[in-house]
Amino acid sequence: MSALPCLLVTAFEPFGADTVNASAEVLRLLPDEIGPWRIEKRLIPVVFGKGAETVIRYAEEIRARAALCLGQASGRASVTPEQVAINLRDASIPDNAGNRPRNEPIAAGGPDALFATLPAAEMADAIRAAGLPGMRSLSAGTFVCNDVLYSVLLHFRGSAVRAGFIHVPALPGQHGIFLPATVSAAAVETAVRSQLP
Ligand code: PCA
């Protein structure tokens, strides 16, 4: 096993009407090392609760110092680091296990919102400085991506393990607005290189 510190990077399986998930394609294109980090790549299910549990289990198994989760945001044109996760599940389509929660908390009694502990605004700035499309996002939605970011942040709250989330646009041919996976992967790599030096 290499002595490099370990960064867990996750992506999602396909969901809804899609047969591919842009985040998984982007994950595949990432190198196995970025700067001082060994990148451990894992796929996670698009299921409320289970997606986050899977990230937490992998992070603990490989003793990750940080976890960066990737997801697809159809309709977005830029790579968008997320700054905030909210304590809310509200699904307009079922997840991959058929769950469709409406207006429920993720963690009863938990904080209304948690900030990502990887710097979203700085990541977006670095992506743009590299000539790539990047924009900080202030809403990860209320579907499984928000669920994962919120639950992972809550779990690692007060620990040294940092966590963040980056949404990538759909792939060419998937939906109206798209970005090639190579461009999204270059943006994610830039974000890691600049903010996890
Ligand atoms: N995007 C969804 C869940 C899985 C994914 O890739 C979301 O934005 O919540």
Side-chain angles (χ1 to χ4, degrees), residues 12 15 21 23 46 71-72 140 143-146 167:
F12 284 100
F15 68 103
N21 190 310
S23 68
V46 185
Q72 174 178 325
F143 194 50
V144 178
C145 291
N146 174 72
H167 266 119

Side-chain angles (χ1 to χ4, degrees), residues 12-22 24 43-46 72 96 174:
F12 284 100
E13 293 168 346
F15 68 103
D18 285 324
T19 53
V20 292
N21 190 310
L43 274 186
I44 62 169
V46 185
Q72 174 178 325
N96 285 357
Q174 244 190 323

Side-chain angles (χ1 to χ4, degrees), residues 128-152:
R128 276 200 312 280
L132 300 165
M135 202 157 85
R136 183 262 309 266
S137 166
L138 294 171
S139 174
T142 54
F143 194 50
V144 178
C145 291
N146 174 72
D147 192 73
V148 164
L149 180 57
Y150 183 89
S151 302
V152 170

Side-chain angles (χ1 to χ4, degrees), residues 112-133:
D112 289 342
L114 290 167
F115 286 123
T117 44
L118 293 177
E122 288 83 350
M123 283 182 162
D125 288 347
I127 292 169
R128 276 200 312 280
L132 300 165

